[in-house]
């Protein structure tokens, strides 16, 4: 009896200890409003650092230092260079009893008068006399949305002003319009737009393009978008009675004919329209790039639908003729994801152009004559050269991941146009973004790193720091319990490639405890998930605050890990193309191997309690982790996940090629078929108005899980898009639910 009682007691103690390790000591509070408050406070914990220069000619500018609570207004003279404080907005507010919402509008250097706006009134402040003139009413400029790109966030179309400010390009229904800026007199109006053939501006969503207005403000490049061959993604308003059904046809599903793009040029003097011989086709993309310096021609690029070939085309705005200047094709691989820096830079004096290409393994700049014939390679190195900041005095200043120890950092580099004397000008970890001054004598450089908050500085052409302009303020009360992020380098499963990542410790971190771990994954071929910026900086608002979401997980007692594995950009062509055609094969096993490596020397990472969280492609990989590595990933959260690549948008073909040529790749790309193998706990989050990942993807996964008898938790938002926006703040709601899900299945920190 005593032995039986001892065994019973031992069993009870063991069961209790197991329950403590598997369930939370305290539950994550259910309060989406409090989550939103946290996200906002986290985003506000780092303030300022990056300035907006307001130019006074080519050699002087003024700016407001928003990192300083007093908001001083500084004048910079590049000739010295010198920095002079004109006044502070706090001083104006206190001295003249203005509203705390006062902002600086413009500065007249000749009269030393600073114009400020407070509420609906405009004031002229004499910097020399320190007097404030009688106010007058202020009407804030309004640039309304002229076409909503529902249900995509951040892509609404607004009016585009010409460089001289005399005209505006706008949209009216499906048609294109140019009006005078002041009198709103119509100069150009199309009348052939329809719901299936709409007019847009020349520059578009994915690619980074220059201004569609010609440099002399005389011409504008518009494009028609023929969507008649596209079935469209059905969008149902389930909150309407009867249900309202729309079809989103702006882009196509994989395998469908693509929308046909054709360019036209409109002349503001004559009102004439010149249709360009674009070569529109349902098997290609056509993207506007930029105007040539002569203002008579513009450049655009044609891509095959799988991005395996491209053509650079110069179009004559006067005749409509289009000439292919150079071609490039790569068998079984892409040539360039249509985003990132503009890959074309024209040289002054008809000296040709610089073209960015990764044909030799890394993105670099090449000098071509205007007829397309190549002269030489300009930049070199085992790294990707990014955008060009400036070409002056036969020197090319460009950004690049040129630090071999930190390949995801960005530095300002310089090389001669002859391809010699290349040097890295900025030093220290982090990302540097350089903007040349109009007189080309200096650069305004913006910097931040994992440990350095955003800052702005004035550099000379040799990289020497001439002036410190601003440095972000950090809310010490909010951040005092946070640890600095820890970068790491691990190896892939085969030990042949490096994986760079970052570990975020929870607040009030205690190395003697053991913490549950959440890996935040993305893994798409076009972008990275691991930041190199300062935590809390540059949060962009609801739906895009993924860094703030990770911070919320930290605040709830989780270690958070992110990593950039092979198949992602920034490390050269071979690294980027490792998963091309086979995506997502091998990614989960590489991430699992890396997690085990970094946890081996960090006993506070409890690998018995690991979860994985991802959006979009990251949601796809979280689903695969649930099937392929459930021994490590005990819980998986999938948000707006592509789980059936055959049912994806056409950019799936940029990963896998066309389905007819790669049926095995598409068959492998169905996570729904893996439902029976998914042993991890599952949470699925989706919105019914998502056009990046149609809701049919989620439905197929739910059906597969039901068929396999697998349980899951579901958060479904009516009327929201790919970023959980569209109907109120569903983002904070989703984060709250996901955090509760992970705490339920992974538990809390343990002694």
């Amino acid at each position: 009896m005593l032995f039986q009682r001892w065994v019973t007691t031992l069993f009870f103690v063991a069961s209790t200890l197991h329950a403590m390790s598997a369930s939370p000591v305290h539950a994550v509070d259910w309060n989406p409003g409090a989550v939103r408050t946290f996200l906002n406070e986290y985003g506000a914990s780092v303030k300022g650092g990056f300035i907006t220069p307001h130019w006074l000619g080519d050699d002087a500018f003024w700016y407001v230092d928003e990192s300083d609570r007093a908001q001083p207004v500084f004048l910079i003279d590049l000739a010295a260079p010198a920095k002079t404080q004109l006044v502070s907005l706090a001083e104006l507010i206190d001295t003249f009893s203005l509203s705390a919402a006062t902002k600086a509008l413009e500065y007249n250097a000749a009269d030393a008068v600073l114009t400020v706006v407070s509420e609906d009134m405009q004031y002229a402040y004499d910097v020399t006399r320190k007097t404030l003139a009688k106010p007058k009413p202020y009407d804030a400029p309004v640039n309304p949305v002229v076409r909503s790109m529902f249900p995509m966030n951040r892509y609404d179309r607004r009016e585009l002003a010409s460089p001289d400010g005399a005209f505006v390009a706008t949209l009216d229904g499906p048609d294109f319009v140019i009006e005078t800026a002041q009198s709103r007199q119509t100069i150009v109006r199309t009348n052939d737009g329809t719901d299936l053939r709409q007019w847009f501006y020349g520059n578009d969503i994915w690619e980074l393009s220059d201004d569609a207005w010609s440099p002399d403000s005389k011409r504008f490049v518009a494009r028609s978008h023929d969507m008649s061959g596209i079935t469209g993604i059905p969008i149902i308003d389930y909150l309407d009675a009867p249900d309202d059904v729309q079809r989103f046809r702006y882009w196509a599903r994989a395998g469908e004919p693509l929308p046909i793009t054709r360019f036209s040029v409109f002349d503001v003097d004559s009102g004439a329209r010149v249709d360009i011989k674009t070569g529109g086709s349902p098997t290609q993309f056509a993207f506007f790039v930029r105007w040539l310096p002569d203002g008579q021609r513009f450049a655009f690029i044609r891509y095959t639908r799988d991005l395996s070939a491209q053509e650079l085309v110069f179009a004559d705005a006067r005749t409509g003729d289009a000439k292919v200047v150079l071609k490039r094709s790569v068998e079984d691989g892409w040539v360039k994801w249509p985003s990132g820096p503009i890959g074309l830079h024209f040289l002054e004096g008809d000296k040709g152009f610089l073209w960015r290409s990764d044909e030799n393994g890394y993105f670099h700049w090449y000098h071509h004559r205007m007829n397309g014939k190549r002269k030489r390679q300009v930049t070199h190195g085992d790294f990707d050269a990014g955008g060009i900041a400036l070409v002056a005095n036969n020197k090319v200043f460009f950004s690049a991941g040129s630090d071999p120890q930190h390949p995801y950092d960005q530095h300002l580099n310089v090389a001669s146009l002859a391809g010699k004397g290349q040097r890295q000008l900025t030093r220290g970890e982090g990302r540097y973004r350089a903007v040349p001054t109009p007189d080309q004598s200096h650069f305004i450089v913006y910097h931040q790193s994992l440990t350095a908050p955003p800052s702005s500085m004035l550099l000379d052409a040799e990289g020497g720091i001439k002036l410190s302009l601003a440095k972000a303020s950090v809310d010490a009360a909010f951040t005092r319990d946070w640890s600095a992020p820890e970068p790491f380098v691990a190896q892939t499963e085969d030990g042949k490639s490096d994986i760079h990542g970052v570990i975020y410790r929870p607040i009030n971190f205690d190395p003697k405890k053991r913490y549950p771990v959440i890996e935040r994954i993305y893994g798409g071929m076009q972008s990275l998930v691991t930041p190199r910026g300062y935590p809390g900086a540059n949060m962009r608002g609801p739906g895009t605050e993924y860094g703030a979401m990770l911070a919320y997980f930290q605040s709830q007692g989780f270690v958070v890990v992110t990593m950039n594995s092979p198949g992602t950009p920034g490390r050269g062509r071979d690294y980027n193309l490792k998963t091309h055609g086979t995506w997502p094969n091998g990614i989960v096993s590489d991430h699992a191997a890396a997690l085990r490596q970094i946890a081996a020397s960090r006993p506070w990472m409890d690998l018995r309690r690991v979860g994985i969280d991802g959006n979009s492609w990251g949601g796809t990989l979280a689903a695969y982790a649930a099937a392929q590595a459930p021994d490590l990933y005990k819980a998986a959260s999938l948000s707006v996940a592509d789980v059936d690549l055959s049912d994806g948008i056409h950019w799936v073909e940029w990963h896998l090629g066309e389905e007819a040529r790669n049926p095995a790749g598409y068959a492998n790309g169905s996570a729904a078929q893996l439902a029976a193998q998914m042993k991890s706990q599952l949470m699925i989050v989706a919105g019914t108005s998502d056009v990046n990942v149609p809701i049919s993807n989620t439905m197929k996964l739910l059906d597969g899980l039901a068929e396999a008898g697998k349980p899951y938790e579901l958060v479904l938002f009516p009327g929201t898009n790919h970023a959980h926006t569209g109907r109120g703040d569903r983002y904070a709601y989703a984060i709250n639910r996901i955090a509760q899900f992970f705490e339920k299945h992974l538990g809390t920190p343990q002694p």
Side-chain angles (χ1 to χ4, degrees):
M1 179 69 70
L2 181 62
F3 176 77
Q4 183 178 3
R5 185 177 301 169
W6 179 82
V7 170
T8 302
T9 303
L10 183 62
F11 177 78
F12 173 77
V13 171
S15 300
T16 302
L17 290 175
H18 175 76
M20 288 175 61
S21 65
S23 61
V25 175
H26 68 279
V28 173
D29 292 335
W30 175 247
N31 190 337
V35 174
R36 167 50 54 201
T37 298
F38 173 88
L39 299 178
N40 291 344
E41 290 180 349
Y42 183 73
S45 66
V46 181
K47 186 176 181 180
F50 290 168
I51 69 161
T52 300
H54 302 270
W55 288 98
L56 306 169
D58 290 345
D59 58 359
F61 66 91
W62 65 273
Y63 68 95
V64 179
D65 185 355
E66 296 180 352
S67 58
D68 189 325
R69 183 173 298 180
Q71 297 190 78
V73 181
F74 290 107
L75 176 66
I76 302 297
D77 180 359
L78 296 180
K83 176 180 177 181
T84 304
Q85 181 171 332
L86 301 176
V87 71
S88 74
L89 297 186
E91 179 184 344
L92 296 181
I93 291 169
D94 292 343
T95 303
F96 301 102
S97 300
L98 302 180
S99 166
T102 298
K103 64 178 182 179
L105 190 64
E106 63 178 305
Y107 178 65
N108 184 322
D111 299 329
V113 172
L114 178 71
T115 302
V116 298
V117 173
S118 183
E119 296 180 337
D120 296 328
M121 302 303 291
Q122 178 175 311
Y123 300 82
Y125 175 72
D126 189 311
V127 174
T128 304
R129 296 183 176 87
K130 296 185 178 182
T131 57
L132 201 66
K134 185 178 180 180
K136 59 182 180 180
Y138 173 70
D139 294 323
V142 177
N143 189 6
V145 172
V146 295
R147 181 178 299 156
S148 175
M149 292 298 290
F150 173 83
M152 295 183 295
N153 61 319
R154 307 195 310 279
Y155 293 129
D156 288 339
R157 303 306 200 253
R158 298 179 184 271
E159 293 181 347
L160 296 180
S162 60
D164 63 5
F167 305 97
V168 291
T170 186
L171 301 167
D172 183 10
D175 283 300
F176 171 73
V177 180
I178 294 179
E179 299 176 342
T180 57
Q182 296 299 321
S183 64
R184 308 302 295 197
Q185 176 186 355
T186 299
I187 303 298
V188 168
R189 177 181 290 274
T190 63
N191 56 13
D192 55 353
T194 67
D195 287 344
L196 295 181
R197 186 179 180 275
Q198 297 186 18
W199 284 92
F200 293 87
Y201 308 137
N203 40 356
D204 193 33
I205 290 176
W206 303 303
E207 77 280 12
L208 287 182
S209 303
D210 205 355
D211 194 344
W213 279 102
S214 63
D216 61 4
S217 300
K218 297 297 185 182
R219 297 182 176 94
F220 188 91
V221 181
R223 64 182 181 86
S224 63
H225 203 58
D226 188 341
M227 303 170 280
S228 56
I230 300 173
T231 303
I233 302 168
I235 306 296
I236 301 176
D237 185 355
Y238 294 99
L239 303 177
D240 191 23
D243 296 336
D244 177 34
V245 181
Q246 304 178 43
R247 283 195 172 270
F248 184 81
R249 290 184 170 88
Y250 184 76
W251 45 54
R253 275 189 162 102
E256 280 191 327
L258 297 176
I260 300 174
T261 294
R262 296 184 178 92
F263 295 113
S264 298
V265 178
F266 295 88
D267 190 292
V268 298
D269 287 338
S270 65
R273 164 180 164 180
V274 176
D275 293 327
I276 303 298
K277 297 181 178 68
T278 313
S281 165
T283 62
Q284 72 173 27
F285 300 97
F287 295 147
F288 168 82
V289 182
R290 67 190 342 157
W291 282 88
L292 272 67
D294 61 18
Q296 308 297 324
R297 294 175 291 170
F298 69 90
F300 68 91
I301 300 177
R302 291 195 294 244
Y303 290 96
T304 55
R305 64 181 303 149
D306 62 354
L307 301 191
S308 64
Q310 66 182 181
E311 296 176 328
L312 175 64
V313 185
F314 289 173
D316 193 313
R318 298 158 297 183
T319 66
D321 292 334
K323 179 181 179 180
V324 176
V325 178
L326 60 83
K327 298 181 180 181
R328 180 168 172 247
S329 63
V330 179
E331 188 175 354
D332 299 326
W334 64 20
V335 290
K336 179 181 181 293
W337 189 278
S339 63
I342 298 176
L344 177 65
H345 184 96
F346 289 105
L347 302 174
E348 294 182 356
D350 202 32
K351 294 181 179 179
F353 60 88
L354 301 180
W355 176 253
R356 185 173 177 260
S357 172
D358 69 344
E359 61 199 71
N360 289 330
Y362 294 91
F363 274 116
H364 280 292
W365 290 95
Y366 296 82
H367 187 182
H368 293 257
R369 294 183 172 89
M370 290 302 290
N371 62 8
K373 186 177 180 179
R374 176 172 294 176
K375 294 184 67 174
R376 65 179 63 89
Q377 183 174 342
V378 175
T379 66
H380 302 79
D382 293 340
F383 55 80
D384 285 340
I388 289 178
L390 175 67
V391 178
N393 301 319
N394 291 317
K395 294 181 179 180
V396 180
F397 296 86
F398 62 99
S399 66
S402 49
D403 182 347
Q405 300 302 315
H406 307 285
Y408 297 103
D409 287 353
Q410 287 291 303
H411 287 275
L412 178 63
N413 286 253
V414 64
S416 73
L417 197 56
K420 299 178 181 179
Q422 183 171 299
R423 293 176 293 132
Q424 179 178 300
L425 298 180
T426 51
R427 300 293 174 187
E429 293 184 32
R431 300 181 71 87
Y432 293 83
R433 180 172 63 90
V435 179
T437 58
D439 67 357
Q440 302 182 349
S441 64
H442 294 80
F443 293 94
I444 297 175
V445 174
Y446 305 96
H447 170 256
Q448 63 176 318
S449 73
L450 290 172
T451 56
S455 64
S456 304
M457 63 197 84
L458 186 70
L459 268 60
D460 62 23
E462 294 299 317
I465 300 176
K466 309 305 292 184
L467 292 173
S468 175
L469 302 177
K471 183 176 181 180
S473 61
V474 180
D475 186 344
F478 186 88
T479 61
R480 67 172 179 267
D481 297 325
W482 296 78
S483 302
E486 178 187 354
F488 68 84
V489 181
Q491 277 66 51
T492 52
E493 186 180 32
D494 61 12
K496 296 181 179 180
S497 300
D498 286 344
I499 295 178
H500 288 247
V502 175
I503 302 169
Y504 296 88
R505 298 179 181 89
I507 60 170
N508 296 307
F509 173 71
D510 183 350
K512 296 179 181 179
K513 292 184 177 181
R514 292 179 62 80
Y515 293 90
V517 179
I518 297 174
E519 182 189 347
R520 172 69 179 179
I521 194 168
Y522 184 70
M525 298 179 75
Q526 85 285 10
S527 63
L528 304 171
V529 68
T530 299
R532 291 294 294 169
Y534 192 77
N538 310 318
M539 298 292 103
R540 296 179 295 169
T544 60
E545 307 151 301
Y546 294 128
M549 178 181 69
L550 304 188
Y552 183 73
F553 292 158
Q554 293 175 261
S555 75
Q556 300 304 304
F558 295 98
V559 171
V560 179
V561 177
T562 66
M563 62 183 83
N564 299 321
S565 63
T568 55
R571 297 278 301 281
R573 183 179 180 80
D574 291 344
Y575 199 87
N576 203 176
L577 289 179
K578 183 175 181 180
T579 61
H580 189 271
T582 62
W583 194 92
N585 276 359
I587 297 177
V588 169
S589 58
D590 280 345
H591 281 239
L595 265 181
R596 291 188 171 102
Q597 291 168 44
I598 62 176
S601 59
R602 298 169 178 85
W604 38 268
M605 292 177 61
D606 191 347
L607 289 197
R608 299 171 302 169
R609 300 183 291 149
V610 178
I612 188 167
D613 173 78
N615 282 58
S616 197
W617 295 126
T620 310
L621 291 170
Y624 276 77
Q628 296 176 348
D631 56 323
L632 176 64
Y633 300 106
K634 299 300 191 299
S637 169
L638 296 57
S639 293
V640 292
D642 300 79
V643 291
D644 184 351
L645 301 188
S646 295
D647 189 25
I649 306 305
H650 57 66
W651 51 68
V652 170
E653 298 173 1
W654 304 348
H655 292 248
L656 296 179
E658 296 181 59
E659 187 168 8
R661 299 182 180 182
N662 187 15
Y666 281 83
N668 177 65
S670 174
Q673 296 180 13
L674 301 177
Q677 304 172 38
M678 293 183 183
K679 299 179 182 179
S680 307
Q681 299 294 326
L682 294 174
M683 168 166 278
I684 300 164
V685 184
T688 62
S689 295
D690 190 347
V691 296
N692 296 63
V693 177
I695 191 63
S696 52
N697 269 250
T698 299
M699 296 305 175
K700 290 176 181 178
L701 178 58
L702 299 185
D703 188 60
L705 292 170
E707 184 71 20
K710 297 291 184 179
Y712 60 85
E713 297 183 37
L714 175 67
V715 176
L716 186 64
F717 296 127
T720 66
N721 60 18
H722 200 58
H724 304 317
T725 59
R727 289 193 60 80
D729 188 8
R730 302 299 186 258
Y731 190 72
Y733 184 102
I735 292 175
N736 209 165
R737 283 293 307 274
I738 293 169
Q740 286 193 320
F741 164 76
F742 280 128
E743 190 173 76
K744 175 182 177 182
H745 296 293
L746 303 180
T748 58
Q750 301 298 330

